[in-house]
Amino acid sequence: MCGITGYIGKNNAIKVVMDGLESLEYRGYDSAGIAYICDNKLNIIKEEGKIINLKNSIDFNTKSSLAIGHTRWATHGIPSKTNSHPHSSNKFIVVHNGIIENYLELKEELLKNDYKFESDTDTEVACAYIDFLYKSDKNILSVLNKASKIFKGSYAFGIICTDDLNHLYALKKTSPLIIAFGNDENYIASDIPAILKYTNKYMLLDDYEIAKIESSKIEVYDSNMNLVDKKILEFEGSIESSIKCGYEHFMLKEIHEESEVFVNTVKNYLDDNFKNIPDLSKYNKFHIVACGSAYHAGLIGKYLIEKYSNIPTLVEVASEYRYKKNFYDENTLVILISQSGETIDTLACLLKAKSDNIDTLSIVNVFGSSIARESKYVLYTKAGCEIAVATTKAYLAQITLLALITMYLTNNKDIETKYISKLIDEEINKTYEDISLYISKCKNVFFIGRGIDYALGMEGALKLKEISYINASAYPAGELKHGTISLIEEGTPVIAISTDNSLLEKTISNIKEVKARGAKVIFITTSKIDGDFYDYKIEIPKINDLLQSIITIIPLQIIAYEVAKYLGCDIDKPRNLAKSVTVE
Ligand code: F6R
């Protein structure tokens, strides 16, 4: 979703802000813009489409020490130059991430006060409203404090006021914003990759806080206008974690990091006898809540927890869970899974459970993110910075951690980390070119499996469709004949997954049903069985049931990647998608 960068200092502000925007490209966007001050004059340049369009419109030799930039993922109004940020109104220029829910109400008030609007955005209204408040109160901090109480919804703002060109301002609620430190230069950004080229020291802005930033000083005020003593954090990862390191795409690089991610996640929880896992003995029910791939990881968690620890586990998509009646009590633990830690629906479920006094545990990848900060317990996945919009290594870390939680619940510490990481290494280096080429020419693909293999099929289908734009759906293997089998034609690819020997015969019967109707069957299995019921066989190693999914998911990720590559798709930044979904 939208990305914000801002800079004040001795360096070339335009270059720093544009570098930052490029590092935030992974979040997904459809237009970009920059506002900078040169010779005390404001300049705003915006372009639709990729950042390169904006770069081509900028003179990088222009001297500026104060700038804010933005990548926009359209919410209010179509992707266009007019709707893109920065927006300005008289004395104020803003970039914004999030949604101002009461903007129509504010707009009405502003229209009555002779404000005019060019765009369809909530952001232009917010900017004008700040300017409107400033007309009767010339103290910028107090104006921003008032605005933060009036604006409903979620927001992170970078703000310049033409009456005070020695400062860059920022404020936030729900949407993430960091402030980073340099030597006589300071930065704001939506996420860490935007500043890593310049510094790894940063602080997290909390809700309703306002930052007043000059090149050699940062002041942060709380909602009562008291100065806050902020904790300075240091990002541990390297800049390599946010660059491609010779791989053609971040997605491929991230798949290739999976064995390391597995080892790091296991190490963090197992090496110290599960010391980092809180006491979960009082809970007799789990509710796992998440979106997209994180939801699919939750389904794996349900299978494992219910099978091995006998604790009933409900898994729900966050955007549904937040609006339904939830049957939880003091012995229920609500588990939120999120790579970014910022997904708004998942966060809303967490806050709902919290306000009902229900304990919460989050499984999060991004350190210090909103979901991590709001939950009672946090277990971090150790996937490192994930840039490709389609998650791979973070999903693998989530299912690893869910397996570890199951092991903790059953007091099982038996895991052959080295052996499994070697197997992961072998699997990530395999290619499936014939299969992928075949699929790339098809319109529909089906994934079938039983039990945990069905949950993996759902993730495989999502991966394929989001990056290759080929329609893909997953079904429980036994369910096809209840309707969907009518879609199977001569040559329709069906990816059948079978890793559970106790269900193998049943799944093979279902495969035969589709084969008889002309399906091209790709059989992914741990079994040695051969026959004429498949067209391609991908044999994967059989490991401990608890961790089998970690191996099984890899060919599905690689096939999705290869198909998208054959089709020439924008693999790391699929159309319409965003890495961090901060709107409902
Ligand atoms: C798919 C994908 C998304 C995310 C979902 C939740 O490849 O990445 O489906 O899993 O948007 O995001 P997080 O995990 O950040 O809450």
Side-chain angles (χ1 to χ4, degrees):
M1 301 256 125
C2 306
I4 290 177
T5 55
Y7 175 83
I8 186 159
K10 60 188 181 201
N11 219 321
N12 176 344
I14 298 175
K15 180 170 182 319
V16 178
V17 163
M18 289 305 298
D19 280 351
L21 289 186
E22 279 186 311
S23 324
L24 293 179
E25 272 195 292
Y26 72 91
R27 293 167 70 90
Y29 69 103
D30 40 53
S31 54
I34 184 168
Y36 60 88
I37 304 296
C38 175
D39 295 333
N40 286 328
K41 274 209 201 84
L42 168 69
N43 301 270
I44 298 180
I45 306 177
K46 318 198 248 193
E47 291 297 343
E48 209 186 312
K50 295 285 172 199
I51 286 183
I52 188 72
N53 302 345
L54 179 63
K55 275 177 102 176
N56 290 339
S57 312
I58 292 174
D59 175 2
F60 280 87
N61 294 318
T62 311
K63 282 210 162 57
S64 172
S65 55
L66 175 60
I68 47 178
H70 191 263
T71 45
R72 173 175 187 254
W73 190 84
T75 55
H76 295 69
I78 56 161
S80 71
K81 209 163 161 167
T82 318
N83 284 335
S84 56
H85 305 205
H87 287 285
S88 67
S89 182
N90 298 326
K91 307 264 183 188
F92 286 86
I93 308 101
V94 309
V95 286
H96 164 223
N97 175 12
I99 287 181
I100 304 296
E101 287 168 1
N102 56 339
Y103 83 106
L104 285 176
E105 201 183 297
L106 302 177
K107 191 169 184 175
E108 220 169 278
E109 190 181 345
L110 290 166
L111 287 169
K112 283 186 203 141
N113 283 279
D114 296 331
Y115 277 85
K116 305 247 172 323
F117 298 93
E118 286 176 0
S119 75
D120 305 318
T121 64
D122 52 339
T123 307
E124 191 185 11
V125 173
C127 182
Y129 206 84
I130 291 171
D131 184 75
F132 173 59
L133 294 173
Y134 186 67
K135 283 189 172 153
S136 51
D137 175 359
K138 290 286 181 231
N139 180 330
I140 301 173
L141 278 176
S142 122
V143 163
L144 296 183
N145 184 34
K146 279 181 201 157
S148 75
K149 288 171 183 158
I150 292 168
F151 294 161
K152 295 208 170 80
S154 57
Y155 51 80
F157 282 105
I159 302 164
I160 294 175
C161 174
T162 50
D163 278 353
D164 178 11
L165 296 180
N166 292 323
H167 290 99
L168 166 62
Y169 291 86
L171 80 147
K172 79 139 235 157
K173 188 190 141 216
T174 314
S175 304
L177 199 72
I178 62 164
I179 300 170
F181 305 78
N183 248 340
D184 281 335
E185 52 188 346
N186 291 312
Y187 315 75
I188 59 168
S190 297
D191 203 354
I192 290 167
I195 49 98
L196 271 188
K197 189 169 172 189
Y198 297 96
T199 177
N200 67 344
K201 290 197 179 53
Y202 68 103
M203 57 166 86
L204 297 163
L205 203 61
D206 283 309
D207 282 356
Y208 298 107
E209 284 181 345
I210 302 166
K212 182 178 179 184
I213 306 160
E214 59 185 279
S215 45
S216 53
K217 191 167 151 198
I218 296 172
E219 288 174 350
V220 176
Y221 295 86
D222 65 16
S223 59
N224 297 319
M225 301 296 282
N226 296 318
L227 267 175
V228 187
D229 196 11
K230 297 292 290 182
K231 195 164 153 207
I232 297 176
L233 305 165
E234 245 174 71
F235 182 68
E236 290 167 13
S238 60
I239 188 149
E240 282 74 43
S241 64
S242 65
I243 57 175
K244 280 189 211 146
C245 298
Y247 286 96
E248 200 176 339
H249 297 99
F250 279 114
M251 183 175 174
L252 188 62
K253 173 184 173 248
E254 287 159 4
I255 291 173
H256 278 254
E257 287 167 354
E258 288 185 329
S259 121
E260 194 187 331
V261 164
F262 168 75
V263 173
N264 289 344
T265 304
V266 172
K267 239 196 200 155
N268 196 50
Y269 294 96
L270 203 65
D271 276 11
D272 60 2
N273 266 336
F274 297 122
K275 201 174 70 214
N276 293 340
I277 298 185
D279 180 3
L280 303 179
S281 55
K282 83 170 223 204
Y283 303 109
N284 59 20
K285 210 165 30 165
F286 295 130
H287 286 189
I288 301 182
V289 184
C291 302
S293 294
Y295 164 72
H296 296 155
L299 292 172
I300 304 282
K302 173 185 165 73
Y303 278 104
L304 298 180
I305 294 170
E306 289 186 338
K307 180 168 176 186
Y308 292 99
S309 67
N310 293 314
I311 300 177
T313 304
L314 173 101
V315 191
E316 284 261 12
V317 165
S319 55
E320 292 296 317
Y321 187 84
R322 66 181 288 192
Y323 298 114
K324 68 186 267 286
K325 189 164 177 182
N326 303 124
F327 296 94
Y328 43 35
D329 55 35
E330 70 279 8
N331 297 118
T332 309
L333 181 67
V334 174
I335 302 176
L336 299 308
I337 308 178
S338 176
Q339 187 287 128
S340 62
E342 299 295 346
T343 301
I344 200 89
D345 281 317
T346 312
L347 178 60
C349 295
L350 161 64
L351 298 177
K352 181 183 175 198
K354 228 176 134 177
S355 73
D356 289 340
N357 287 322
I358 303 298
D359 287 353
T360 56
L361 176 148
S362 63
I363 294 177
V364 172
N365 196 42
V366 176
F367 179 78
S369 53
S370 305
I371 292 174
R373 281 186 285 161
E374 291 288 348
S375 15
K376 177 168 175 145
Y377 309 112
V378 193
L379 300 182
Y380 283 106
T381 44
K382 294 287 168 184
C385 189
E386 191 176 63
I387 302 283
V389 164
T391 181
T392 50
K393 62 172 181 170
Y395 168 84
L396 188 125
Q398 288 162 354
I399 56 177
T400 304
L401 190 37
L402 287 158
L404 289 167
I405 292 174
T406 311
M407 291 173 73
Y408 158 84
L409 291 168
T410 51
N411 202 17
N412 166 8
K413 297 189 191 95
D414 191 16
I415 185 171
E416 294 171 283
T417 314
K418 256 200 183 147
Y419 171 64
I420 295 171
S421 85
K422 184 177 146 283
L423 294 181
I424 296 175
D425 259 333
E426 283 169 16
E427 293 309 306
I428 57 182
N429 282 301
K430 289 185 180 161
T431 58
Y432 303 100
E433 281 159 17
D434 290 353
I435 297 171
S436 302
L437 183 62
Y438 181 81
I439 293 177
S440 72
K441 294 176 186 152
C442 299
K443 281 204 166 63
N444 291 302
V445 181
F446 293 93
F447 289 72
I448 58 170
R450 286 174 177 262
I452 208 161
D453 292 330
Y454 165 49
L456 286 159
M458 289 171 81
E459 176 58 9
L462 176 61
K463 218 74 323 174
L464 181 64
K465 65 187 149 195
E466 69 179 323
I467 61 168
S468 75
Y469 315 140
I470 292 176
N471 185 31
S473 341
Y475 287 89
E479 183 65 14
L480 272 193
K481 56 181 156 296
H482 297 285
T484 314
I485 203 160
S486 67
L487 294 170
I488 304 289
E489 311 176 324
E490 197 57 42
T492 305
V494 174
I495 299 182
I497 309 161
S498 176
T499 62
D500 180 346
N501 278 342
S502 67
L503 297 169
L504 178 65
E505 286 306 321
K506 301 273 175 215
T507 305
I508 290 178
S509 301
N510 302 133
I511 296 175
K512 287 180 177 166
E513 289 159 8
V514 291
K515 186 78 190 130
R517 284 152 183 92
K520 193 78 147 181
V521 175
I522 297 122
F523 184 40
I524 300 183
T525 185
T526 47
S527 85
K528 300 268 172 229
I529 197 159
D530 279 325
D532 55 6
F533 58 90
Y534 59 78
D535 296 274
Y536 301 97
K537 181 178 177 189
I538 298 176
E539 196 175 321
I540 51 172
K542 177 90 190 147
I543 57 166
N544 179 333
D545 229 26
L546 271 165
L547 297 157
Q548 182 64 51
S549 312
I550 289 158
I551 300 291
T552 316
I553 195 61
I554 297 171
L556 299 178
Q557 294 174 340
I558 294 174
I559 289 171
Y561 173 79
E562 288 178 350
V563 172
K565 203 172 151 199
Y566 275 123
L567 292 170
C569 299
D570 192 353
I571 294 181
D572 288 333
K573 288 170 263 143
R575 68 182 179 216
N576 306 338
L577 289 178
K579 184 70 180 161
S580 176
V581 184
T582 49
V583 293
E584 290 179 30

